[in-house]
Amino acid sequence: MVPGRMHPWAALLGAPLLLACGEGPAGGQAKSIAAAFEKQGDPAAEARQAGEDMRRLKQKVEADRAQAIEAAIEEAATVPGTLPADIETGCAEMRAAYDGFVKQRVQGDAAEAEKWAVMKGVELDPAQAHCLAADNLRFAACQARAFREATPGVARERAQALIDACARKTGAPTGAEREAAERVRKTPRPS
């Protein structure tokens, strides 16, 4: 007999054992494949469900993000322990802080930075006028602090939200309250 070769009788005797051992996994695999096909549902319904789940997840993420921004605004809009000497100084500090707030947010965009440099009076002048009209040192100081301390997550477009948060905390009129008062003032009265 040649070394490394199996005797023909040994092969015959071992064949049933090999076949018996081979049936187990193949049979189990066939059953698991069949079970997978049985569990397969309606692909269109599964796609709709996946789409709905994704929509809900996006809504939750957006709601969490909005809540985080509101919390950052509320945290930044705090009246500091020391107040400016007079309302003109306080409102000038607020204006400088507001300018810095926007500059920080447009610094990566040369076109926006240039536009802000030219047009900043359009936003800063009314904000300063409102600050002076409120004649409230706590309001002026709160705004200055809010603009300096606002986290980068508070976008430039949320500047009015910072001002309004300070107004609510100090008793000054909010932007919406000022607009409503202005509409009432401009409404003609019957004679």
Side-chain angles (χ1 to χ4, degrees):
M1 176 134 226
V2 180
R5 289 203 71 185
M6 188 183 299
H7 189 278
W9 286 105
L12 285 173
L13 290 173
L17 290 174
L18 285 173
L19 291 175
C21 290
E23 273 185 41
Q29 184 178 13
K31 288 179 185 174
S32 66
I33 290 172
F37 278 107
E38 287 175 14
K39 290 182 182 177
Q40 187 175 10
D42 178 19
E46 289 174 5
R48 282 190 300 274
Q49 183 61 44
E52 181 63 24
D53 292 346
M54 183 59 75
R55 185 186 64 75
R56 282 192 199 116
L57 179 62
K58 285 180 181 178
Q59 284 178 334
K60 182 181 180 337
V61 167
E62 184 58 34
D64 290 348
R65 185 174 112 11
Q67 188 177 17
I69 291 170
E70 288 301 320
I73 289 170
E74 288 301 315
E75 184 178 329
T78 304
V79 178
T82 59
L83 299 178
D86 56 65
I87 195 65
E88 288 81 18
T89 302
C91 293
E93 289 174 4
M94 178 279 303
R95 183 184 180 105
Y98 190 162
D99 186 28
F101 169 81
V102 175
K103 282 180 181 176
Q104 183 183 36
R105 279 143 183 85
V106 299
Q107 70 185 1
D109 185 341
E112 280 297 310
E114 185 178 326
K115 185 177 172 182
W116 175 252
V118 172
M119 299 296 295
K120 64 184 173 183
V122 172
E123 282 185 49
L124 296 179
D125 292 347
Q128 189 170 15
H130 175 232
C131 179
L132 290 167
D135 196 22
N136 183 330
L137 288 175
R138 295 179 71 237
F139 178 52
C142 178
Q143 290 179 87
R145 182 188 184 286
F147 285 123
R148 281 192 307 270
E149 301 296 322
T151 62
V154 178
R156 171 186 177 184
E157 293 76 22
R158 299 303 304 261
Q160 188 61 49
L162 287 165
I163 294 169
D164 288 346
C166 284
R168 285 189 304 276
K169 291 181 178 185
T170 61
T174 64
E177 291 168 343
R178 281 191 344 264
E179 288 173 10
E182 186 65 23
R183 279 192 304 273
V184 168
R185 190 180 67 75
K186 288 183 177 180
T187 303
R189 295 202 170 106
S191 302

